[in-house]
Amino acid sequence: MSSADNLPFIVAGGGIGGLCAGLALARKGLPVKVLERAPEIGEIGYGIQIAPNGHAILKKLGVMEILEPQVFYPDALILVDAIDLKEVSRIQLKDRFVDRYKYPYFVVHRRDLHAALVETCRREPHFSFEEGEVDSYEQRDGYVEVNCSDGRTMQARAMIGCEGLRSKTRARIVGDTPRSTGYVVYRGLVPVEEISNKEYLNSMVVYGGPGCHIVQYRLRGGTVMNNVATFQSPAYARGETDYGGVEEFKAAYDKCAPEVRDMLKYFALDKNWLLHDVQPATNWTDGNVTLLGDSAHATLQYLAQGAIMAMEDALVMAHEVAQQPNNVNAAFMKYQDQRLNRTARVITTARLFGAIVHAREGERLLRNELAKSRDVDIPWEVDWLYQGANLLDKID
């Protein structure tokens, strides 16, 4: 046994991906230290959708027993035309759906998920948190030297970069920058009693319009309604660097039905998010350092799979490391070989789904016509994703 065997695996970043990575490693009996720059670890954001492939992993990691009281199980995923308010298509989420995928689809507040992950991690004897932010790393003989932004240096058996979209670890290994899309997001939470249109109250509904959409679904056990508005910025298209302001937001829905425009009252106007993703990479690993989650494959939200891909990463990575703990680099290479193409497919398919939701003019009519032939019980477009719940059959 080398001296490096007693060193911890350092996880850079305490978001959903970092916590799942640390938890999966700790459950293999490996010492883990998660570095997070915030004084108190806390995930920002609003709602998050968890498809069966994510639900399966959260249950395996022991998170669901804490999280269950906070989740909401929608009846269906529904796409509504934001111009004429006609239902375009739906995916039923009960009965046949659960029979096919074994685990139901649920939605939950991101803070509730993050809190449940933190609590589950704290119960693991091999797991620890430490305040810190990774600035750089150096490969040494059998270990990694991790340099923090506050000047501290730590030794690690290996490091997993989970710092998110603007990961310094990715910048070093992949050498690229995030891709700006020109789309902007506003969000808002309101008590469910304040929702005017309750037709789809128990479902996750997307109102798809020309270059824009609004998503609604219930959170916190169904007590509040999560509202997410996404639109394409004309200012960005003109080459302006300052874009996505409140006036653009309001104008983006001018062609939508009055009932859709009325929903804008649900949104907080003090903050917005500029959407980015990354180009799929061909390598995430440098020696005993690898990437995971958004650092590896940040994607757009249209498949609701960004966080779930990080969960899948965590399980596969921990499994491979446990298979050959004395050759972490080889384990990381096997991990990425299993994950590169699947996550690349998510990135590219999410872009396509965004274009479908935001279809204009004749493309919109074609979308609506083709959608009529869908089987509401078999989501063939995402079957390859949700069947990821079978990942548990392939690893211990």
Side-chain angles (χ1 to χ4, degrees):
M1 178 181 292
S2 71
S3 58
D5 292 340
N6 297 318
L7 294 175
F9 284 76
I10 286 183
V11 178
I16 291 172
L19 293 180
C20 286
L23 182 57
L25 287 167
R27 290 205 152 197
K28 296 292 187 182
L30 298 165
V32 179
K33 186 184 295 291
V34 168
L35 296 184
E36 171 59 42
R37 66 171 177 254
E40 287 192 23
I41 293 180
E43 182 85 359
I44 64 169
Y46 289 80
I48 186 168
Q49 302 175 51
I50 303 296
N53 53 319
H55 190 164
I57 294 170
L58 291 174
K59 186 170 183 178
K60 180 178 179 63
L61 291 176
V63 180
M64 286 306 300
E65 61 186 69
I66 299 173
L67 186 62
E68 184 69 40
Q70 301 297 332
V71 310
F72 182 79
Y73 294 97
D75 294 335
L77 309 178
I78 301 172
L79 175 61
V80 173
D81 190 309
I83 294 178
D84 61 18
L85 294 186
K86 292 181 179 179
E87 186 174 314
V88 175
S89 189
R90 68 168 57 207
I91 296 174
Q92 299 286 18
L93 297 177
K94 307 296 183 181
D95 302 330
R96 286 177 63 188
F97 182 92
V98 178
D99 288 343
R100 185 177 184 86
Y101 301 115
K102 312 306 179 191
Y103 299 85
Y105 195 111
F106 69 84
V107 292
V108 68
H109 197 292
R110 190 175 289 263
R111 284 189 183 275
D112 294 334
L113 172 57
H114 198 262
L117 278 166
V118 169
E119 176 60 28
T120 309
C121 288
R122 291 193 192 281
R123 297 178 180 182
E124 288 294 324
H126 298 287
F127 189 102
S128 64
F129 289 111
E130 185 162 336
E131 184 178 348
E133 180 182 12
V134 172
D135 185 65
S136 63
Y137 66 86
E138 299 298 333
Q139 302 283 354
R140 301 302 184 195
D141 185 16
Y143 68 95
V144 179
E145 190 173 87
V146 178
N147 304 308
C148 297
S149 56
D150 62 4
R152 286 178 298 157
T153 298
M154 300 180 182
Q155 293 183 351
R157 187 170 175 182
M159 189 184 87
I160 299 100
C162 303
E163 313 104 300
L165 180 69
R166 304 192 184 281
S167 163
K168 291 182 179 179
T169 310
R170 180 187 176 95
R172 173 166 170 177
I173 295 175
V174 182
D176 63 355
T177 57
R179 184 188 75 104
S180 177
T181 65
Y183 277 83
V184 183
V185 172
Y186 281 79
R187 295 184 168 97
L189 282 179
V190 296
V192 73
E193 300 82 29
E194 295 183 12
I195 298 299
S196 302
N197 180 3
K198 294 182 169 58
E199 182 177 0
Y200 300 110
L201 193 63
N202 293 323
S203 293
M204 194 288 294
V205 58
V206 179
Y207 295 89
C212 65
H213 77 271
I214 290 177
V215 177
Q216 284 188 326
Y217 54 85
R218 296 168 74 174
L219 295 175
R220 296 266 158 91
T223 60
V224 298
M225 184 66 80
N226 184 45
N227 302 275
V228 184
T230 304
F231 67 93
Q232 189 174 33
S233 165
Y236 177 85
R238 294 192 298 267
E240 299 175 22
T241 56
D242 184 13
Y243 64 93
V246 173
E247 294 308 312
E248 268 201 324
F249 167 52
K250 293 178 179 178
Y253 297 85
D254 283 348
K255 294 182 180 179
C256 296
E259 293 86 346
V260 174
R261 296 199 301 272
D262 183 60
M263 295 177 189
L264 301 186
K265 66 187 179 185
Y266 303 136
F267 291 88
L269 303 179
D270 58 333
K271 180 174 177 57
N272 62 27
W273 288 259
L274 308 181
L275 288 186
H276 298 77
D277 66 4
V278 296
Q279 286 296 110
T282 57
N283 174 64
W284 300 336
T285 300
D286 173 23
N288 281 14
V289 176
T290 197
L291 303 173
L292 185 145
D294 279 356
S295 298
H297 45 70
T299 183
L300 299 176
Q301 79 273 35
Y302 303 110
L303 291 176
Q305 283 282 319
I308 298 175
M309 287 299 101
M311 297 175 194
E312 290 187 2
D313 288 349
L315 238 60
V316 173
M317 182 272 297
H319 172 78
E320 294 301 337
V321 168
Q323 293 299 300
Q324 43 185 337
N326 296 321
N327 192 344
V328 175
N329 174 256
F332 282 170
M333 296 303 292
K334 287 196 69 174
Y335 146 70
Q336 75 170 34
D337 285 348
Q338 296 173 63
R339 302 298 301 158
L340 282 168
N341 284 345
R342 181 164 169 82
T343 55
R345 187 175 180 183
V346 169
I347 292 170
T348 54
T349 305
R351 294 173 183 173
L352 174 62
F353 270 43
I356 292 171
V357 169
H358 300 146
R360 293 177 166 88
E361 301 177 352
E363 292 175 342
R364 163 182 164 257
L365 299 179
L366 174 63
R367 175 198 67 191
N368 294 357
E369 178 66 25
L370 292 176
K372 293 178 182 178
S373 63
R374 291 193 68 262
D375 183 334
V376 299
D377 289 307
I378 301 178
W380 60 266
E381 306 94 331
V382 288
D383 190 66
W384 60 276
L385 264 177
Y386 298 170
Q387 290 287 3
N390 297 332
L391 178 67
L392 303 187
D393 298 332
K394 302 172 185 176
I395 63 177
D396 54 23

